[in-house]
Amino acid sequence: MSMPNMVGVPLSMLDPKFLHTNSTSHTWPFSAIAELIDNAYDPDVMAKQLWIDWTRIKGFDCLTFQDNGKGMTKKGMHKMLSFGFSDKQAVGGHAPVGMYGNGFKSSSMRLGKDAIIFSKISDTMSVGLLSQSYLESIQAEHVVVPIVTLGHDGQSSVEDAASLQDILKHSPFNTEEELLTELTAITSISSTGTRIIIWNLRRVANGETEFDLSTNRYDIRIPEDACETHKNQNITQSVPEIIYSLRVSISDGEPIGSQAGFGACKYLP
Ligand SMILES: Nc1ncnc2c1ncn2[C@@H]1O[C@H](COP(=O)(O)OP(=O)(O)O)[C@@H](O)[C@H]1O
Ligand SMILES: [Mg+2]
C-alpha cells in the first residue's frame, strides 16, 4: 500500500482503547500464548518450531516469540495487524485454528501494552508496531500501525520514512541497525520467519509482572497466589502444574540455549 508521508496505516476507525478491551477475552495469560502458538502452526505459516523466550531489552522485560514459518510481506503484516481479516484455508487436511482475524491482536495486547513484529520472507523484511503506548503518546484518535519494509541493504523506502521514525522513537529499537539485528535473529536460524517482541508486560497489583520470570530460569510461571481460583474446593489439593507452568502447558517444550537463560522451544506437528 502506498501512502506517502502518512504515519502508519490507519486501521479503519478503531478507538485505541479497543486494543485493551479486546484483550480482556483472555482470562488466563497462557490462552493468549496459545493463540500465538496456533498462528505459527496454522497452514499459512507452517512453522516447524517456535521459540518462546524472556529477555530484557533496554530495561524492558520482554516476551519473544520466534518461528521459522513462512514469514510475511508488508501486505501480510498489514493484514496481521488489522482486525477481522483472515483468509486461511486448510492445506492437505491441516485445518487452520485461527479464522476470525483477531487472535494476534487480542493475545499480544493481553500479554503487554506494546508489540513489535519482525518478519522475513524471500527478499523482504518488514517491521510493524502495534503499540498502545505509542498511540497514547501521539494522542491517536484511531488505531494506526507503522510498518516499514527494509531491503537487503537494510534501507527503507522514502514512503516509509514517517513510519520508520515512529518505530525508532516508540519501540526499544532506536536505530535502523538495532532493527536489523532483530531481523538477523530470524535469518540466523531460518531463511524465513517471524519474531514478535512484546514489552510493557502486564503487571499485577503489587507492581510485579504477571509472570514469574525469575524462580525457574527454564520456565515462565504464573505466581501461586494468582492461581488460587484454580484450586479445588479441597484446600489440600494443589494447583496442577499445567495451570501455572508454561513449560508444562506447552508440554513438549525443551530448554534451548538463550542469552536470557530461559528458553522454551515448541516443536509444531
Ligand atoms: N507467526 C506468524 N507468521 C506469519 N503470519 C502470521 C503469524 N501470525 C499471524 N500471522 C498472519 O496474521 C493473520 C492474523 O492473525 P490473527 O489475528 O491471529 O487472526 P487469524 O489467526 O484468525 O487469521 C493470520 O491470518 C496470518 O496471516
Ligand atoms: Mg490466529
Side-chain angles (χ1 to χ4, degrees):
M1 186 175 292
S2 171
M3 291 188 174
N5 302 323
M6 282 201 68
V7 178
V9 180
L11 292 185
S12 59
M13 290 298 177
L14 281 178
D15 188 303
K17 291 193 184 73
F18 176 73
L19 292 178
H20 172 72
T21 315
N22 183 48
S23 74
T24 56
S25 55
H26 296 281
T27 52
W28 199 240
F30 290 168
S31 88
I33 291 180
E35 290 272 3
L36 300 179
I37 295 173
D38 290 342
N39 277 350
Y41 165 72
D42 268 348
D44 57 333
V45 178
M46 292 250 206
K48 288 284 165 235
Q49 284 153 292
L50 171 71
W51 291 269
I52 305 174
D53 213 339
W54 163 77
T55 187
R56 190 169 282 148
I57 302 172
K58 297 189 182 162
F60 291 106
D61 285 319
C62 302
L63 291 178
T64 67
F65 300 83
Q66 182 171 331
D67 66 60
N68 55 6
K70 289 185 181 162
M72 277 168 279
T73 59
K74 185 180 194 179
K75 198 171 159 201
M77 193 169 286
H78 183 204
K79 286 180 188 166
M80 180 196 202
L81 298 175
S82 302
F83 285 84
F85 185 94
S86 184
D87 58 0
K88 289 176 180 174
Q89 310 261 333
V91 172
H94 175 172
V97 179
M99 60 177 84
Y100 300 113
N102 188 34
F104 175 73
K105 283 68 68 176
S106 64
S107 57
S108 58
M109 296 294 104
R110 168 64 183 79
L111 297 169
K113 269 186 93 172
D114 308 300
I116 187 165
I117 303 96
F118 299 86
S119 198
K120 168 83 174 53
I121 189 166
S122 60
D123 57 351
T124 66
M125 306 182 282
S126 297
V127 185
L129 182 70
L130 182 68
S131 164
Q132 297 177 69
S133 304
Y134 161 67
L135 295 169
E136 280 165 19
S137 167
I138 64 166
Q139 298 182 317
E141 290 182 8
H142 309 298
V143 177
V144 289
V145 287
I147 300 175
V148 60
T149 297
L150 304 172
H152 273 313
D153 52 1
Q155 297 296 310
S156 56
S157 68
V158 177
E159 72 174 33
D160 286 348
S163 290
L164 176 63
Q165 284 317 310
D166 276 7
I167 290 173
L168 298 180
K169 186 168 172 200
H170 296 276
S171 81
F173 307 98
N174 308 121
T175 64
E176 286 178 69
E177 289 70 31
E178 288 172 10
L179 293 181
L180 281 173
T181 302
E182 297 307 309
L183 286 160
T184 308
I186 299 173
T187 49
S188 64
I189 291 178
S190 52
S191 56
T192 62
T194 298
R195 178 167 169 80
I196 297 163
I197 300 179
I198 299 174
W199 77 100
N200 277 328
L201 301 180
R202 185 172 286 216
R203 292 182 183 273
V204 288
N206 65 10
E208 300 288 330
T209 53
E210 71 177 332
F211 295 118
D212 171 2
L213 301 166
S214 53
T215 300
N216 180 336
R217 62 193 285 259
Y218 294 116
D219 202 0
I220 289 176
R221 289 175 172 243
I222 295 170
E224 212 173 306
D225 50 353
C227 300
E228 287 299 308
T229 51
H230 287 264
K231 265 193 183 168
N232 196 290
Q233 300 288 3
N234 174 357
I235 51 164
T236 56
Q237 186 175 332
S238 58
V239 179
E241 223 180 347
I242 197 166
I243 298 293
Y244 63 81
S245 161
L246 181 64
R247 181 164 295 286
V248 174
S249 96
I250 64 175
S251 75
D252 59 351
E254 291 173 9
I256 56 165
S258 89
Q259 288 171 345
F262 171 78
C265 174
K266 172 86 178 162
Y267 290 87
L268 301 168

